[in-house]
Amino acid sequence: MLLEENPQKAVKVNVLHADEPAVLMQERRRLAIRIAVVGSGYVGLVSGACFADLGHEVVLVDNDEKKLVSLRTGDIPIHEQFLPELLARHRDRRITFSADLQAATRASQAIFIAVGTPPTESGDADLSYVESVAREISGAVDGYKVVVEKSTVPVFTNEWIRTIILRNGADPELFDIASNPEFLREGTAVTDFLYPDRIVVGVQSERAAALMREVYAPMTSGWYYGRADAIPRPDRAHTPPRLIVTSAQSAEMIKHASNAFLAMKISFINAVASICESVGANVQQVCDGIGSDSRIGPRFLNPGIGYGGSCFPKDLLAFRAVAKEGGYDFRLLEEVIRINEEQRRRFLKKVRSVLWTLRGKRLAVLGLAFKGGTDDIRESPALLLVEELLREGCHICAYDPAAMDRAKEVLPDTVEFAADPYQAAQGADAVLILTEWEEFSSLDLDQLRAVVKYPIVLDGRNLYDPAVMTAHGFSYYSVGRPPALCDEAPAGRSGKKERA
Ligand SMILES: NC(=O)c1ccc[n+]([C@@H]2O[C@H](COP(=O)([O-])OP(=O)(O)OC[C@H]3O[C@@H](n4cnc5c(N)ncnc54)[C@H](O)[C@@H]3O)[C@@H](O)[C@H]2O)c1
């Protein structure tokens, strides 16, 4: 029986621990699904940890031995809230780690593919990792299994996975392919996974749909949300998610179309911000005005230096390529991409217009990750800006709460890294805020004012009220809002500073 159909029973069974009576332990095991997650990156590791928290038995597979060793010894290779707690709770109990995909496949009812799908030169998704996983799974299909695409893939990938598994000798009666796109966002990945707006499952058979319903039953039934030790719900209303069953093609389309729409919303508000700058309007007030319309909503209306990360840029390119292949020239997507790139160039122009020449200027950079709450620097607009500023001869001292180790691997040795925002700002000609870390929205502005050479802040994420910045003696330049100017004399000579 599905947990969804009998949440009461599920509660009784799942809250029991080591000393539970044998008969209930058996029942809990019966309801738990044996799951393999292939790829222990941002999506795979979070999904695996969350599946274990839902009560399933999970084996996380990766072909990166170093990553497996560190995961087994308790290291967490990525920065993500609640992930350390979940892995500590389930490591060596409901989660194990393995490099042996075939053994993991044999042991599992559902195999989730969560490997990378990076862009090729032409913008198509590189599906070679997905193909190699499908090939390997084939030889281990020894009983009914559902192979689930969790990676973001172009439409019809499900059919290719099926073809590859069949070509390599698996019995067609023993497996189905499902598409279960993941909508988590780095930085809030665990809560996004456990408290989603909806779960999308694309299937080719009712048998596969039934297994997928069982996987997500602890969430759709509401059982998980009643548990005392559940990961806390986010600060927004949440009801148990609806599981939307579609065809596999539709599910693949849903993921690409969702990401394209969200990127479009960001580019839209960035374009509006640019117009605000030229007409003297305040984009924050405009966002408030348009975001209060329930048909539009306030989320993803955050003007800034553009979107980045491992998803939006590559998914937009892949979606455009899918459309082209299908005979549709999706020029709207090209414009979304163009506005995004233009947004970085505009910010750079702003830095130049405030500081005049850039060669030899010392800049404090706050934020390197592509967004707050993560250590991921893939396609980070902050990093792309730093690289541009270095080319222009600036000296950069950077601070990021989580992404510095990764940034050190890709930035030249000339970049200095600081232990905190104030050290980064020591003697700076200007402070640049490039990532929306919460820590950066609550800086001690007096302390910051005391260490900079000139009290100039260029905020690419609109974290501050301009009036608050001028009250603390800063000239403040943000996105889509009029600049807020102050006496920019070095510390010690400014009227504001002396009063402080
Ligand atoms: N990162 C996100 O926020 C996010 C959100 C939703 C969807 N997605 C999609 O999920 C997929 C994975 O993204 P990610 O950010 O987790 O990638 P990632 O690069 O962080 O992780 C991929 C993992 O797969 C492993 N891997 C590669 N080939 C393998 C193989 N043959 N066998 C076993 N392991 C293998 C790699 O070692 C790595 O650990 C992508 O398609 C991405 O578009 C990502």
Side-chain angles (χ1 to χ4, degrees):
M1 182 175 291
L2 301 186
L3 287 172
E4 191 181 17
E5 291 161 6
N6 192 349
Q8 291 305 322
K9 187 172 179 184
V11 172
K12 263 201 252 145
V13 173
N14 279 276
V15 289
L16 292 171
H17 300 294
D19 54 350
E20 66 190 335
V23 62
L24 287 176
M25 195 188 288
Q26 253 177 8
E27 183 64 354
R28 183 177 67 73
R29 290 225 175 97
R30 195 178 68 78
L31 291 169
I33 308 292
R34 283 171 283 112
I35 291 176
V37 180
V38 192
S40 303
Y42 286 88
V43 168
L45 194 54
V46 169
S47 306
C50 291
F51 282 143
D53 214 40
L54 297 177
H56 303 310
E57 308 285 336
V58 179
V59 51
L60 272 157
V61 181
D62 208 284
N63 60 0
D64 179 343
E65 264 301 337
K66 244 172 72 189
K67 192 178 266 190
L68 288 175
V69 169
S70 79
L71 282 167
R72 284 193 193 107
T73 52
D75 283 348
I76 319 257
I78 57 172
H79 177 92
E80 202 55 66
Q81 198 187 16
F82 299 123
L83 190 57
E85 289 88 329
L86 286 186
L87 289 175
R89 200 183 275 181
H90 301 298
R91 185 183 288 109
D92 296 331
R93 285 182 282 274
R94 284 195 210 137
I95 296 184
T96 53
F97 302 97
S98 172
D100 190 341
L101 174 54
Q102 294 217 332
T105 301
R106 278 191 286 272
S108 302
Q109 298 159 272
I111 299 101
F112 285 76
I113 304 178
V115 297
T117 49
T120 61
E121 293 258 303
S122 61
D124 298 314
D126 176 356
L127 298 171
S128 57
Y129 302 99
V130 175
E131 179 175 352
S132 97
V133 170
R135 217 179 302 123
E136 220 176 318
I137 285 175
S138 178
V141 177
D142 59 354
Y144 181 72
K145 296 173 194 306
V146 179
V147 178
V148 191
E149 303 166 345
K150 195 95 177 110
S151 301
T152 303
V153 290
V155 72
F156 290 126
T157 302
N158 70 89
E159 290 191 358
W160 272 112
I161 295 177
R162 183 171 182 77
T163 303
I164 295 301
I165 295 180
L166 287 174
R167 250 182 217 166
N168 286 279
D171 179 343
E173 296 303 313
L174 289 187
F175 75 96
D176 276 309
I177 310 295
S179 164
N180 173 218
E182 184 48 58
F183 300 101
L184 64 76
R185 297 158 303 165
E186 288 175 28
T188 49
V190 169
T191 42
D192 285 348
F193 187 98
L194 291 169
Y195 294 87
D197 295 329
R198 75 325 201 171
I199 297 160
V200 174
V201 167
V203 285
Q204 299 157 326
S205 76
E206 186 39 47
R207 198 176 179 192
L211 187 75
M212 294 302 287
R213 284 198 186 93
E214 286 190 60
V215 168
Y216 286 107
M219 286 155 70
T220 52
S221 69
W223 166 77
Y224 180 76
Y225 308 116
R227 244 175 56 180
D229 64 348
I231 292 298
R233 78 183 61 232
D235 284 345
R236 58 184 159 83
H238 183 268
T239 48
R242 187 159 75 96
L243 189 132
I244 302 173
V245 178
T246 67
S247 70
Q249 278 88 326
S250 298
E252 290 164 337
M253 276 290 287
I254 286 168
K255 176 63 188 175
H256 266 162
S258 297
N259 274 5
F261 191 89
L262 292 172
M264 182 183 72
K265 215 171 164 188
I266 296 172
S267 278
F268 179 84
I269 203 61
N270 279 335
V272 171
S274 300
I275 303 168
C276 284
E277 285 181 8
S278 57
V279 301
N282 180 329
V283 76
Q284 230 56 54
Q285 294 171 355
V286 175
C287 285
D288 192 26
I290 56 179
S292 312
D293 184 328
S294 59
R295 291 168 305 175
I296 298 173
R299 293 173 76 189
F300 276 75
L301 285 184
N302 302 321
I305 53 174
Y307 62 77
S310 67
C311 292
F312 284 179
K314 88 164 166 59
D315 292 347
L316 259 75
L317 291 175
F319 196 28
R320 192 184 57 175
V322 165
K324 212 166 243 167
E325 219 176 294
Y328 186 78
D329 189 8
F330 205 159
R331 281 161 61 186
L332 177 62
L333 296 187
E334 261 150 56
E335 193 53 18
V336 169
I337 295 167
R338 190 197 64 75
I339 294 170
N340 196 54
E341 283 162 8
E342 171 74 11
Q343 202 61 14
R344 270 199 324 272
R345 277 195 295 274
R346 284 181 68 88
F347 189 77
L348 196 64
K349 223 164 115 188
K350 197 172 286 171
V351 178
R352 270 194 223 107
S353 75
V354 172
L355 298 180
W356 191 24
T357 65
L358 290 183
R359 186 158 300 284
K361 293 273 159 71
R362 184 177 172 87
L363 302 181
V365 164
L366 303 189
L368 296 164
F370 85 93
K371 61 181 287 200
T374 179
D375 59 345
D376 197 346
I377 53 164
R378 290 177 287 183
E379 298 290 320
S380 166
L383 219 67
L384 294 169
L385 271 168
V386 166
E387 282 162 357
E388 194 58 46
L389 291 164
L390 288 170
R391 271 194 289 278
E392 301 230 10
C394 294
H395 183 87
I396 303 287
C397 187
Y399 170 72
D400 186 286
M404 289 197 290
D405 286 347
R406 289 190 196 273
K408 278 176 195 164
E409 288 169 17
V410 297
L411 288 175
D413 293 343
T414 50
V415 174
E416 272 180 67
F417 292 91
D420 60 51
Y422 311 100
Q423 194 185 73
Q426 191 77 44
D429 289 282
V431 176
L432 272 50
I433 302 177
L434 301 185
T435 306
E436 70 279 35
W437 278 98
E438 231 173 275
E439 180 180 339
F440 298 157
S441 58
S442 54
L443 293 169
D444 180 333
L445 295 173
D446 291 327
Q447 192 181 345
L448 192 72
R449 176 72 180 83
V451 297
V452 291
K453 183 168 174 196
Y454 301 111
I456 298 171
V457 172
L458 289 123
D459 183 356
R461 299 296 184 172
N462 287 6
L463 297 188
Y464 284 94
D465 177 345
V468 170
M469 294 305 277
T470 50
H472 284 83
F474 285 99
S475 282
Y476 179 69
Y477 304 84
S478 52
V479 180
R481 300 184 293 184
L485 303 179
C486 215
D487 175 4
E488 291 172 6
R493 276 182 35 216
S494 134
K496 292 268 178 200
K497 177 69 188 112
E498 278 153 8
R499 275 200 303 277

